[in-house]
Amino acid sequence: MTYVEKVLKQLKERNPGEKEFHQAATEILLTLEPVFDKHPEYEKAALLERFVEPERVILFRVPWIDDNGNVHVNKGYRVQFNSAIGPYKGGLRFHPSVNLSVIKFLGLEQILKNSLTGQPIGGGKGGSDFDPKGKSDREIMAFCQSFMTELYRHIGPDTDVPAGDIGVGGREIGYLFGQYKRIHDEHTGVLTGRGLSYGGSLIRKEATGYGLVYITEEAMRLRGDSFEGKTVIISGSGNVAIYACEKAQSLGAKVVAMYDSDGYIYDKNGIQLEVVRKIKEEERGRIKEYAARVPGSVYTPGCKGIWTIPCDVALPCATQNEIDAKDAESLVKNGVKYVAEGANMPSTLEAIDTFKRAGIIFLPAKAANAGGVATSALEMAQSSGRLFWSSAEVDQKLKDIMIGIYHNIDAAAKKYGFDGDYVMGANIAGFEKVADAMMAQGIV
Ligand code: NDP
Ligand code: 2IT
């Protein structure tokens, strides 16, 4: 058994039942074998055992009162995974499916993603099993205030800087920030994704979706290809999906399908994004409304069918494991050429295998969706420097970062003899920097 296999086995034994965490760790660790072959000193320093164990896990109670006076209790989480290269950084997810395994998988991914951005940010993630769907603004505020009343003591602009993720957008960040400031009496860059009137950065809202398209565009450009005239499928209809759609359309692509957790819309004429934005951003409604408003479009209940629609490019932008082996086979059979992950771990291990075997250009989440956190780091830089950069400036930096990530993961894959394997490339390139920083800092 190799060192990597031994650590992976231990991880599964010591964290029983954490299936999402096991999945992310399996995907990452098994690609790192060549790095450990090259660096026997890492094993002596128990580097991998330390890497897979969070520096700190915070679990807390979040009590809140609904509009009818009923008291509810949710679970709150913050996993401060790795601070070797900078303060813990990563989003907060509010979704009923959240548990420790989900937060740990997201945190582990985040370490390597943040490393790939080239910026000084460590990895963390948090959230709650609270379901924001159908709640009033007052209920959301009450929940966010209660969540921050515990979280505030564990975070800070040089310690841990949370942001949004599923179920946490501009509204939630506003309420969380307001409560932090009230308790801590400091107006600092302790959260990113803040509103533009109170310290946020231009382009942060758009960054993950735009970045996803920028890195895919670079992969296309190097193959003499482009988004022009491509048929694209985007799953989800939240923050990442909407801005991926906007950027892909602006480059001449035809986005024909999107979904939410109830079902998907297919519009052969190309999705009218302003209708989606009105339903999702303004009305907080359901995607099925789209079919009622746009003649010629079709709504189908259930999500799975979306992957049977023929496309050139698939951009999964909803959630983990939304593409399984069968979905991947449908995509391949229908001629998909590029798959780039906007969501975190949207493809199962078997789906990734299917894409690899078929020779699809596959850009994994930690590289492809790094534009969001990269722009969060730009927001942190602006906060620290009391600066406010223009949209054009932030957008250009984001684009440069995404193109840089593509070349970095491509080079790492080539260096170890796995040309075109961007899963290997992203894991290795991300890990090398973290490993170097951990080795330099001793046994901590
Ligand atoms: P949002 O909450 O804005 O949107 C999430 C979308 O995904 C919604 O359309 C939602 O549908 C759908 N969705 C969520 N859970 C499920 C599910 N179990 N099954 C089917 N559909 C589901 O979140 P974001 O757009 O911010 O995040 C989307 C993905 O991108 C996540 O994986 C997140 O971790 C990742 N990501 C986000 C970044 C960011 O900056 N926001 C940065 C990098 C990655 P419904 O409304 O019905 O729940
Ligand atoms: O998964 C992610 O990278 C995010 N949700 C964004 C994290 C951040 O700190 O901006």
Side-chain angles (χ1 to χ4, degrees), residues 132-135 137 140 167 169-172 277-286:
K133 245 180 242 137
K135 303 289 189 296
D137 278 356
I140 298 284
R171 174 181 60 170
E172 291 73 21
R277 287 186 64 165
K278 186 155 190 331
I279 295 167
K280 287 291 167 185
E281 293 187 337
E282 285 175 36
E283 301 167 13
R284 296 183 187 275
R286 307 306 298 162

Side-chain angles (χ1 to χ4, degrees), residues 237 242 260 265 272-294:
S237 46
I242 285 174
D260 62 22
I265 48 164
Q272 294 180 25
L273 188 59
E274 65 285 1
V275 179
V276 175
R277 287 186 64 165
K278 186 155 190 331
I279 295 167
K280 287 291 167 185
E281 293 187 337
E282 285 175 36
E283 301 167 13
R284 296 183 187 275
R286 307 306 298 162
I287 201 82
K288 80 163 175 252
E289 274 294 306
Y290 182 95
R293 296 184 201 181
V294 180

Side-chain angles (χ1 to χ4, degrees), residues 4-279:
V4 165
E5 287 166 348
K6 197 181 77 195
V7 175
L8 187 58
K9 183 168 174 278
Q10 267 173 16
L11 175 147
K12 290 179 181 168
E13 285 164 5
R14 295 177 75 183
N15 303 277
E18 296 184 3
K19 62 182 197 305
E20 294 85 1
F21 182 51
H22 295 181
Q23 182 183 338
T26 303
E27 189 245 271
I28 293 169
L29 265 55
L30 295 180
T31 62
L32 297 178
E33 296 272 12
V35 179
F36 289 93
D37 289 344
K38 205 176 135 199
H39 292 280
E41 73 277 17
Y42 286 178
E43 181 173 352
K44 267 191 97 177
L47 185 77
L48 200 52
E49 290 89 332
R50 288 188 284 135
F51 176 75
V52 298
E53 195 63 42
E55 289 174 17
R56 193 174 296 110
V57 174
I58 300 151
L59 302 177
F60 52 101
R61 176 171 78 199
V62 191
W64 59 280
I65 301 174
D66 71 20
D67 289 345
N68 299 318
N70 301 312
V71 179
H72 299 265
V73 181
N74 285 98
K75 286 179 182 290
Y77 302 85
R78 186 72 183 166
V79 173
Q80 298 181 330
F81 222 122
N82 192 301
S83 61
I85 64 176
Y88 310 107
K89 180 85 197 88
L92 298 171
R93 175 177 292 190
F94 292 170
H95 192 272
S97 64
V98 163
N99 56 37
L100 188 58
S101 169
V102 167
I103 299 298
K104 281 173 69 180
F105 113 66
L106 289 163
L108 188 67
E109 281 278 304
Q110 197 83 42
I111 303 169
L112 300 183
K113 180 195 310 192
N114 293 4
S115 167
L116 286 173
T117 67
Q119 290 155 305
I121 40 178
K125 202 85 191 189
S128 174
D129 58 0
F130 174 71
D131 186 358
K133 245 180 242 137
K135 303 289 189 296
S136 69
D137 278 356
R138 196 212 58 83
E139 289 171 329
I140 298 284
M141 181 172 73
F143 178 81
C144 289
Q145 290 181 342
S146 180
F147 188 86
M148 186 53 85
T149 301
E150 174 57 34
L151 187 68
Y152 90 94
R153 72 189 84 242
H154 307 290
I155 62 176
D158 295 310
T159 308
D160 183 357
V161 184
D165 194 83
I166 292 177
V168 178
R171 174 181 60 170
E172 291 73 21
I173 293 291
Y175 293 145
L176 290 163
F177 183 76
Q179 185 71 353
Y180 178 87
K181 185 167 63 59
R182 184 182 187 196
I183 298 172
H184 208 61
D185 198 20
E186 260 184 17
H187 198 299
T188 53
V190 69
L191 291 161
T192 58
R194 282 170 289 151
L196 298 176
S197 56
Y198 61 96
S201 172
L202 285 162
I203 306 293
R204 173 60 190 90
K205 187 171 70 167
E206 296 84 355
T208 312
Y210 280 15
L212 175 68
V213 172
Y214 290 150
I215 194 168
T216 310
E217 189 188 19
E218 182 66 0
M220 291 172 161
R221 189 185 67 79
L222 291 162
R223 292 165 174 85
D225 206 353
S226 78
F227 268 102
E228 182 67 44
K230 292 282 186 299
T231 299
V232 179
I233 288 176
I234 299 180
S235 62
S237 46
N239 173 264
V240 180
I242 285 174
Y243 293 97
C245 181
E246 183 183 281
K247 187 55 76 179
Q249 287 181 338
S250 77
L251 296 173
K254 187 175 184 186
V255 178
V256 294
M258 292 177 90
Y259 71 45
D260 62 22
S261 59
D262 293 335
Y264 70 95
I265 48 164
Y266 173 66
D267 189 339
K268 62 179 184 321
N269 301 314
I271 297 278
Q272 294 180 25
L273 188 59
E274 65 285 1
V275 179
V276 175
R277 287 186 64 165
K278 186 155 190 331
I279 295 167

